[in-house]
Amino acid sequence: MADDFTVTPWEVKGKIDYDKLITDFGTQRIDGSLEKRLEKQFGESHYMLRRKIFYSHRDLGWIMDRHEKGEKFFLYTGRGPSGHTHFGHILPWLFTKYLQEKFGVNLYFQLTDDEKYLFNPDLSPDDTKRLAYENALDFIALGFEPKNTKIFLDTEYIHTLYGIAIKVAKRITFSTTKAVFGFTNSNNIGSIFYTSIQAAPCFLETEYQKKNVPCMIPCAIDQDPHFRVCRDVAPLLGYYKPSLIHCKLLPSLSGEVKMSSSVPETTIFTTDEPMAAIKKIKNTFTGGAVSVQEQRKSGGNPDICSVYAYYNFLFEPDDAKLAHIRAECTGGKTMCGECKERLAGCVAKFLTEHQKKREKAKDRLEDFMLRD
Ligand code: TRP
């Protein structure tokens, strides 16, 4: 069926119906009034909200109430180190950075080296640990500061996490994990336990401060099932339920649903040589017509175009300029080659700068790491 799709924390396929996900997962849409409330807080509007890239939430209004009453919350997000970082990962991290700046709060970044080892038949514990440190460099390179941002690997911070994780795990039955994640009798038992490790950081500040501290999680919507389970358990343990703000997934360069590390030709990694990235963009799937003549006559289709998606999600935050790109495309004025070339220039510039910052991050890594 053409409208068939799957979104779980470990598998995304088909053409995603994001509205249906809201219904299926039971989350809330970020409506106009909530968006205005955030804008008021930020003193401006953010393109990721305006464009509905961040489009869904759980209890965002509640955490805003608390914040407005002067109760400090903290931010929590993470990364499963199964490969190098790509633009799909950077997207929510950039928004997380924005939230941190605007709210002036602490942030915890979980690197789930355990998860990626347990779920990936081809990765060893050493692989996922090494990749976790590689990913941490990309995170730091985005400009976070160690005074209010802390990073940890599950296998290394387990002494602190484990006490929380077992409390969570004790309240989750096998049948719940089967229903939520689709586990069967052939899943290894580590993967069944794993969700309690991803839940644990929601309660870190509460454990440190010995009083309830609200938690806000910016993440891609595929991670929601973990936190749905976590939210059910939280009140049983005397914790606040974490709030969430969900984004859509960045499409790959092939026009497929999601950028995926397993298809390197259609995914731009932060570690790619700028020239290699430019080459990938040249081969990108676009919304172009069958011929130049045809495109001059009837225009291209930005709504199915990966190049346009890149502008929309990351590389053209200015709405007027994005509208111009769209108009030039649909009006048959810009051909795909030109449009790709411009994007390639933006991407190459980003990569060159990012890679310098990434090198510098190596000296600062330890300032960010939590050790127990
Ligand atoms: N499971 C996530 C992944 O595979 C990593 C992760 C851990 C995460 N904790 C998180 C993502 C909190 C978002 C928010 O990438």
Side-chain angles (χ1 to χ4, degrees):
M1 234 162 68
D3 61 359
D4 247 10
F5 68 97
T6 310
V7 174
T8 77
W10 302 288
E11 186 188 30
V12 176
K13 64 172 199 239
K15 185 173 166 15
I16 305 171
D17 179 340
Y18 284 104
D19 293 331
K20 187 161 181 294
L21 271 187
I22 287 189
T23 322
D24 290 355
F25 285 0
T27 68
Q28 307 291 310
R29 187 179 307 281
I30 300 178
D31 62 13
S33 72
L34 193 52
E35 188 181 335
K36 286 222 169 62
R37 199 169 168 192
L38 288 167
E39 281 175 5
K40 205 167 146 226
Q41 177 69 42
F42 301 157
E44 65 191 7
S45 100
H46 192 281
Y47 81 93
M48 289 192 200
L49 289 167
R50 283 199 305 276
R51 295 182 192 168
K52 318 285 179 220
I53 295 169
F54 272 84
Y55 82 112
S56 153
H57 76 100
R58 289 184 189 269
D59 272 346
L60 201 56
W62 172 84
I63 209 161
M64 295 289 288
D65 291 345
R66 298 261 157 184
H67 176 76
E68 282 161 17
K69 289 192 188 117
E71 189 173 345
K72 264 240 172 317
F73 66 88
F74 71 99
L75 288 161
Y76 157 44
T77 193
R79 155 83 181 133
S82 53
H84 273 299
T85 304
H86 59 59
F87 281 131
H89 306 127
I90 298 251
L91 176 78
W93 300 353
L94 288 173
F95 192 67
T96 302
K97 174 140 192 302
Y98 183 82
L99 291 174
Q100 187 186 35
E101 278 165 12
K102 292 294 175 183
F103 287 109
V105 293
N106 290 342
L107 162 64
Y108 294 90
F109 188 65
Q110 177 181 40
L111 287 158
T112 59
D113 58 335
D114 54 344
E115 176 192 14
K116 294 299 151 176
Y117 168 62
L118 288 166
F119 284 89
N120 197 318
D122 303 325
L123 294 173
S124 71
D126 284 346
D127 292 335
T128 59
K129 189 184 287 261
R130 180 182 52 80
L131 289 165
Y133 279 102
E134 290 289 337
N135 295 165
L137 296 178
D138 291 300
F139 191 73
I140 295 169
L142 296 183
F144 293 100
E145 288 300 331
K147 66 173 192 303
N148 56 4
T149 304
K150 293 294 164 198
I151 304 176
F152 56 89
L153 269 65
D154 286 345
T155 59
E156 294 178 349
Y157 200 49
I158 193 61
H159 180 77
T160 302
L161 296 176
Y162 198 61
I164 312 174
I166 56 167
K167 285 201 246 172
V168 173
K170 193 171 178 178
R171 266 81 183 180
I172 304 173
T173 63
F174 184 32
S175 66
T176 297
T177 67
K178 283 201 272 194
V180 174
F181 300 108
F183 290 146
T184 64
N185 282 351
S186 59
N187 279 97
N188 69 60
I189 60 172
S191 56
I192 294 157
F193 176 75
Y194 169 72
T195 192
S196 54
I197 296 282
Q198 183 155 333
C202 300
F203 314 121
L204 261 185
E205 282 269 356
T206 296
E207 290 293 332
Y208 295 152
Q209 296 192 27
K210 303 279 174 246
K211 69 164 202 236
N212 253 319
V213 186
C215 170
M216 188 198 285
I217 308 169
C219 63
I221 189 135
D222 62 333
Q223 295 300 312
D224 182 74
H226 286 298
F227 301 116
R228 195 187 325 152
V229 174
C230 171
R231 281 168 51 85
D232 286 344
V233 169
L236 306 175
L237 300 171
Y239 294 129
Y240 287 151
K241 293 181 178 192
S243 297
L244 290 118
I245 178 160
H246 304 110
C247 67
K248 297 177 181 168
L249 301 154
L250 181 70
S252 88
L253 296 172
S254 66
E256 290 296 314
V257 263
K258 175 195 163 192
M259 257 214 183
S260 162
S261 315
S262 52
V263 196
E265 305 79 42
T266 61
T267 301
I268 301 173
F269 296 93
T270 57
T271 46
D272 280 348
E273 292 282 337
M275 278 316 289
I278 289 172
K279 206 170 142 206
K280 287 179 188 180
I281 294 168
K282 292 232 162 88
N283 294 325
T284 298
F285 172 83
T286 68
V290 285
S291 67
V292 172
Q293 288 89 327
E294 182 54 33
Q295 192 159 339
R296 292 233 179 271
K297 206 173 97 210
S298 29
N301 180 1
D303 294 323
I304 57 160
C305 177
S306 305
V307 174
Y308 184 77
Y310 270 67
Y311 285 127
N312 182 41
F313 277 78
L314 283 168
F315 287 98
E316 192 44 90
D318 182 321
D319 285 354
K321 288 185 183 156
L322 187 73
H324 182 73
I325 294 174
R326 171 179 277 277
E328 295 274 299
C329 169
T330 55
K333 292 211 174 64
T334 309
M335 295 297 111
C336 296
E338 258 172 85
C339 205
K340 281 178 178 173
E341 210 157 297
R342 188 174 158 254
L343 178 69
C346 301
V347 169
K349 183 163 172 275
F350 174 90
L351 288 178
T352 307
E353 284 165 16
H354 181 81
Q355 287 166 10
K356 277 190 210 138
K357 294 182 201 149
R358 204 178 177 280
E359 270 310 301
K360 289 202 185 120
K362 289 182 181 164
D363 299 330
R364 300 174 69 217
L365 189 64
E366 213 42 49
D367 301 342
F368 286 88
M369 297 307 295
L370 281 180
R371 309 266 176 216
D372 50 19

